Amino acid sequence: SQKIEQNSEALNIQEGKTATLTCNYTNYSPAYLQWYRQDPGRGPVFLLLIRENEKEKRKERLKVTFDTTLKQSLFHITASQPADSATYLCALLNQAGTALIFGKGTTLSVSS
Amino acid sequence: ETGVTQSPTHLIKTRGQQVTLRCSSQSGHNTVSWYQQALGQGPQFIFQYYREEENGRGNFPPRFSGLQFPNYSSELNVNALELDDSALYLCASSLASGDRDTQYFGPGTRLTVL
């Protein structure tokens, strides 16, 4: 079955630095991968979607890369701010096209 | 805000009881998916409804059931509650099933089973 792993449970960085989060997947070749942000006690909020034929995608201070050979996506937040502190989830669509399979998430803490 | 609403916000039940959670999808969305998120874990897919029919199910027992109504709102029912059912239950709506769409999540219902 499809498996998705986010290597770090927690990441602590200083304000202004770039945060880099990793997502790896196995047993599957998804057409796309998504990244969500989740604040405590709230539902996930969609951030970015990257397709298998796209190497990189950007949105403001966010950048996502997708390496289908390594089966890995990297999520970068540049010039990080304390307001970026949250849990970030990566997700891919299952083969049936009916459900998102989520990683456990990486909790990012940005200190000022 | 996504436009997806869920009720109630919090709920406390005892083992063996039954619970119904409700979700109103974003305007124009005809597909609703339900997820269970235990503490420290990512959301786990329970099932999806498209045009009032179940359209995919995750690895959850039959005591988890659902409904979708003509206005695309949805209910999740859980019978014979167990302690492990304590979790955040998330509803997500999207435009179409089987298509590669973004899912828009509601704020969730926090269920505690004692």
Side-chain angles (χ1 to χ4, degrees):
Chain A
S1 61
Q2 301 107 39
K3 214 172 173 184
I4 188 164
E5 287 181 358
Q6 293 184 249
N7 293 352
S8 300
E9 282 192 9
L11 182 63
N12 300 306
I13 63 167
Q14 279 198 314
E15 186 174 8
K17 302 288 186 188
T18 296
T20 298
L21 285 64
T22 305
C23 177
N24 295 291
Y25 59 93
T26 59
N27 299 336
Y28 183 45
S29 296
Y32 66 79
L33 190 143
Q34 301 182 359
W35 284 88
Y36 287 78
R37 169 183 171 140
Q38 187 172 26
D39 291 287
R42 308 290 296 273
V45 175
F46 171 76
L47 295 174
L48 280 168
L49 179 153
I50 185 164
R51 301 187 185 280
E52 58 183 341
N53 61 349
E54 296 174 316
K55 289 276 191 273
E56 181 181 298
K57 197 151 210 188
R58 291 175 186 262
K59 179 183 172 183
E60 297 170 355
R61 294 184 295 111
L62 308 180
K63 183 178 91 170
V64 172
T65 62
F66 194 9
D67 188 324
T68 55
T69 303
L70 291 178
K71 294 188 182 292
Q72 181 181 80
S73 175
L74 298 179
F75 177 80
H76 307 272
I77 305 176
T78 57
S80 58
Q81 304 166 0
D84 295 327
S85 299
T87 296
Y88 292 87
L89 300 158
C90 69
L92 50 83
L93 194 67
N94 67 358
Q95 286 184 297
T98 53
L100 288 175
I101 302 169
F102 282 89
K104 279 188 179 181
T106 296
T107 298
L108 173 67
S109 296
V110 181
S111 54
S112 54
Chain B
E1 298 297 322
T2 62
V4 178
T5 60
Q6 291 186 244
S7 62
T9 309
H10 297 89
L11 204 49
I12 298 175
K13 292 283 190 179
T14 55
R15 208 166 39 173
Q17 285 189 309
Q18 179 266 343
V19 70
T20 297
L21 310 182
R22 294 179 175 83
C23 170
S24 289
S25 58
Q26 185 163 308
S27 177
H29 284 185
N30 58 10
T31 303
V32 173
S33 303
W34 285 91
Y35 293 82
Q36 179 195 68
Q37 187 175 23
L39 211 56
Q41 303 294 316
Q44 299 288 313
F45 175 67
I46 303 174
F47 43 56
Q48 181 183 84
Y49 278 83
Y50 171 60
R51 292 188 176 175
E52 302 176 58
E53 299 281 333
E54 187 177 290
N55 183 51
R57 187 178 184 95
N59 191 25
F60 280 81
R63 58 190 186 84
F64 285 78
S65 63
L67 278 175
Q68 187 181 32
F69 300 99
N71 66 354
Y72 304 131
S73 65
S74 177
E75 283 181 359
L76 163 65
N77 298 292
V78 187
N79 292 323
L81 283 167
E82 300 177 1
L83 297 179
D84 284 348
D85 295 334
S86 295
L88 182 68
Y89 287 85
L90 295 162
C91 161
S93 73
S94 55
L95 268 171
S97 169
D99 202 355
R100 294 173 179 140
D101 280 311
T102 302
Q103 297 194 14
Y104 295 86
F105 284 85
T109 293
R110 170 71 62 189
L111 173 65
T112 302
V113 182
L114 302 175

